[in-house]
Amino acid sequence: MAVFLRGLPGGIRIREFGKGKEATQGLPIRDAKAPVRVVVALRQHMGEPNVATAKAGQKVDMGQVIGAAEDLISAPVHAPVSGRVVKLDHCVLPNGLYTPAVVIDNDFQDRWHASCTPRDHVDALDATQLLQIVREAGIVGLSGSAFPTAAKLAPVAESPVDTVILNGMECEPYLTCDHRLMLEASEQIADGLVFAQRMLGAPNAIVGIEDDKLDAAEAMRQAFANIGANVRVEVLPARYARGSERQLIYALTKRTLRQGILPKQVGATMLNVGTAAAISCAVRQGKPLIDRVITLAGRIAEPANLRVRIGTAIADLIDECGGLTEGVEKVVLGGPMMGAALYRLNLPVIKGVNGILAFGKESVLPQARPCIRCGRCHDSCPMGLLPNHIDLVARSNRWDLAQKHNAMACMECGICSYVCPSKRNVAQACATAKAAIRVRQAEKAQKG
């Protein structure tokens, strides 16, 4: 059942998904088994792809750059294991993109590259030096967006940032990896947030956490007290999709992000808690982003929160957790609302993956019925759109009308499909419309 809430545009509380978090929220993070072979995609971030710097037959160490970033909106990739490069190949990403990849056989020595050493006197590093460390570490947003963090934290003279917001909401059902990080690595997260403030010259920082994670809120308050940081921790009612950038910035600062406006233009920047922890790890320990925490839940025999090496096969992680239970109809990468259903399980983990969930028949939509114009999709849309209108024109390929209905503002949260009594896949129609509009815009740009 979806409960419609007011105070912010749209949003719902998903009651029947509430127990999804209970399976893993009490499970400490543990290291996944080291993979025998990793397939490291050279494009696992928003922006320009990387250029391979490794060669077939070459020996590599953990943390060694194997894909160089040659653009500001990009992030290098590093070897997550020590071993030998088997070949330069291609792989299919969970989003369906076909991209170059570096395949490495693990020698199980866990030999770190010489560049990956702890730093002394980190408090003496200035903003430029800190930003270069983040850029070289290949850190991206770990909530799923995978936007290069160095680009997000680069100061812009015409848009000074006074507030850094730390996103600890984790409002998607089932996912608990951020919750566990806040409990187990709270001081590392707090440390990374302070570094982010220094890079941006931002005097203020606010942490947003949902009220179903009160233990995490207390852990973060204590962590900031321990390091002497004056950071406000705000507890907000659990509500999907309040963890989105526009929604959370408004909830914590009352600053409105209109379509086409970036957070820096209203004086704010938002980081995920996993991203903040990765910043601390890079600055203090000299370690790049070669692993991340992932929740495995749903119809998986042994649900878990695992720290996983980038490039590990999804099938291997499911096997490590006892495999799929009977009746699985769908495996989803990410959360149940915004995640993508997988067509095969031998795909590699990339930096933006935060969950692997398995579902049964309950996840398969029944035959869609005609729209009854009940207005639920509009009432719950966080962007205040008319999703049913976009759905109707998209089904007849009227991309001009979809654009007039502001389809490009859709954040693809999935709420419209979830609340639809006619079980129409409205979210997919909106996503299709956005893709078609982008193609039309690119074609117009080419024609001049």
Side-chain angles (χ1 to χ4, degrees), residues 14-342:
I14 307 174
R15 284 180 173 171
E16 66 266 44
F17 279 173
K19 294 184 178 180
K21 290 183 181 288
E22 293 180 359
T24 55
Q25 65 186 4
L27 300 178
I29 299 167
R30 61 180 176 86
D31 292 336
K33 294 177 182 176
V36 174
R37 172 174 286 188
V38 292
V39 179
V40 185
L42 293 182
R43 183 170 191 167
Q44 44 183 306
H45 53 266
M46 290 182 66
E48 294 300 311
N50 293 319
V51 177
T53 57
K55 298 180 180 179
Q58 176 185 348
K59 291 186 68 175
V60 293
D61 299 330
M62 287 173 62
Q64 181 175 338
V65 175
I66 57 175
E70 298 187 345
D71 191 87
L72 176 64
I73 311 298
S74 186
V77 293
H78 305 75
V81 298
S82 59
R84 187 177 298 276
V85 176
V86 179
K87 57 182 175 178
L88 302 183
D89 201 355
H90 287 75
C91 71
V92 179
L93 298 181
N95 60 8
L97 292 178
Y98 191 62
T99 184
V102 179
V103 182
I104 305 172
D105 275 350
N106 191 354
D107 64 9
F108 295 95
Q109 298 300 307
D110 280 355
R111 183 179 57 255
W112 281 97
H113 190 258
S115 63
C116 304
T117 56
R119 288 184 176 85
D120 297 323
H121 312 298
V122 295
D123 292 334
L125 296 171
D126 62 26
T128 302
Q129 292 170 316
L130 289 171
L131 195 63
Q132 186 62 22
I133 290 169
V134 170
R135 180 175 290 112
E136 293 176 352
I139 299 173
V140 301
L142 297 183
S143 62
S145 67
F147 187 82
T149 302
K152 179 175 282 192
L153 296 180
V156 179
E158 59 270 24
S159 301
V161 171
D162 59 49
T163 304
V164 180
I165 292 173
L166 189 65
N167 184 357
M169 300 293 281
E170 198 169 45
C171 56
E172 277 253 31
Y174 288 89
L175 302 182
T176 59
C177 49
D178 285 355
H179 187 174
R180 293 308 311 178
L181 270 173
M182 288 187 283
L183 294 177
E184 300 178 38
S186 54
E187 286 199 19
Q188 192 175 57
I189 294 169
D191 188 48
L193 177 60
V194 172
F195 282 134
Q197 287 182 264
R198 284 170 54 184
M199 283 178 253
L200 287 164
N204 306 313
I206 312 172
V207 184
I209 301 176
E210 288 191 332
D211 61 6
D212 58 356
K213 307 175 188 65
L214 295 178
D215 51 353
E218 182 56 37
M220 291 307 306
R221 288 193 184 100
Q222 186 60 52
F224 289 118
N226 291 345
I227 67 172
N230 184 21
V231 176
R232 190 169 94 240
V233 177
E234 289 281 349
V235 176
L236 302 173
R239 172 182 181 178
Y240 181 79
R242 187 173 266 169
S244 71
E245 199 167 54
R246 285 177 172 82
Q247 302 299 106
L248 188 55
I249 287 175
Y250 180 81
L252 296 177
T253 69
K254 296 299 182 283
R255 301 175 190 180
T256 302
L257 276 179
R258 298 185 304 276
Q259 186 185 359
I261 299 297
L262 298 174
K264 284 183 180 178
Q265 292 174 271
V266 297
T269 287
M270 192 166 84
L271 295 175
N272 169 262
V273 293
T275 306
I279 291 172
S280 175
C281 189
V283 173
R284 294 197 180 276
Q285 302 175 36
K287 294 181 180 179
L289 183 60
I290 63 168
D291 58 33
R292 65 154 301 145
V293 180
I294 296 175
T295 298
L296 287 93
R299 291 180 180 245
I300 289 178
E302 301 169 12
N305 290 301
L306 298 181
R307 185 172 294 279
V308 176
R309 311 275 184 108
I310 303 300
T312 304
I314 291 168
D316 291 346
L317 297 174
I318 292 174
D319 288 344
E320 183 174 344
C321 292
L324 302 174
T325 61
E326 187 176 353
V328 171
E329 296 281 343
K330 183 189 298 183
V331 175
V332 172
L333 212 59
M337 298 296 289
M338 296 186 73
L342 299 178

